[in-house]
Amino acid sequence: MASKQRLGRGLDALMGGSQEAELRDAIQQQAAVNQIDSFQPELSPVKKLPAGISVDEDGTLWVNPSLLKPNPHQPRVFFDEDKLAELTESVKQEGVLSPIIIEDAGDGTFYIIAGERRTRAARAAGLEKVPVQLRKYSDARKLEVALIENIQRTDLNPVEEAQAYYQIMELENITQEEVAKRVGKNRSTVANSIRLLKLPDDMQHALAAGTLSSGHARALLSILNPADQRVLFGKIVGQGMSVRQAEQQATEMNGVSRLLNKAGKAPSVEKRDPDYVNIEQKFIDALGTKVQLKGDFSKGTVTIQYFTKDDLDRIYNRIVEKL
């Protein structure tokens, strides 16, 4: 790791940080393509160049970036605007250093298999042509190329990465172990990543947005009772709990759940009107703590629990703000 940092500083001194990142992208992109090609002996070479692509005297292919459109299997959804602006400035000065991997879409345009970030920067910089490599991949291979390139550059958020692994499994009908082999990861890494997709949608959104970390997500996944999972999620978001605190809270919640199961006590939610339970859950989501409704729609009590003075202050302020 240290050697990479020394190399990075040296290149920074020569050509500037964003341009150094562009050169590093070139190396990583080629590694991604080489890795995919090693699993694809049936890769078909393109014998005839389609309209829209020109060739210079060195044999480099060029195309207008306006003809390029996103890979339909691009795993990355979020693009950092600040980093993209930095790359755009670099591209204005030096052009695009590494060819963009493309595939003929058959309608006069081309799919970007790898290099969407560079394509966006080229458009923003006003370039009329960018270097490309023309390839042909199956749908699964398109996803794998984009996935490996982004993973090598650590550009995917945890949910995007998990969804990409899962899509490869579905498209190719292969195991987690085979996916791990193809993308150069440990099987446990892929398995733990895919587990994140078991979280409810709102928790996945928080994870993708960076509100939750992967450590927080693992703590939530470890909880046995879905209601407790909701409570802990609210606490993590509302109180800014550390991963360590979330893990401790999950352990305590699971201990209580096991004791209740041992005593043979069935969860009360199973005996109540589903709509009534849904209202209780909305209280839990809104307040980020354990809330219990007792009674029915005509009358009853609402019990709101807090665990620290700060917790009480947070709940108080949240309720009062709505009045």
Side-chain angles (χ1 to χ4, degrees), residues 172-230:
E172 290 279 50
N173 192 27
I174 58 177
T175 64
Q176 291 180 3
E177 185 172 358
E178 183 62 23
V179 171
K181 181 181 176 184
R182 294 190 182 190
V183 300
K185 296 283 186 177
N186 293 327
R187 191 202 65 79
S188 60
T189 299
V190 173
N192 288 332
S193 178
I194 292 175
R195 281 187 67 228
L196 298 176
L197 300 180
K198 294 182 179 180
L199 288 170
D201 288 345
D202 57 338
M203 296 185 194
Q204 289 188 39
H205 292 157
L207 182 59
T211 307
L212 291 180
S213 70
S214 294
H216 288 123
R218 286 191 292 271
L220 289 167
L221 285 167
S222 73
I223 294 180
L224 302 173
N225 188 328
D228 286 341
Q229 186 184 62
R230 278 280 160 200

Side-chain angles (χ1 to χ4, degrees), residues 227 230-231 234 279-292:
R230 278 280 160 200
V231 171
I279 292 174
E280 181 181 83
Q281 187 60 60
K282 289 185 182 299
F283 273 114
I284 293 172
D285 294 342
L287 299 178
T289 191
K290 185 165 283 189
V291 178
Q292 186 174 29

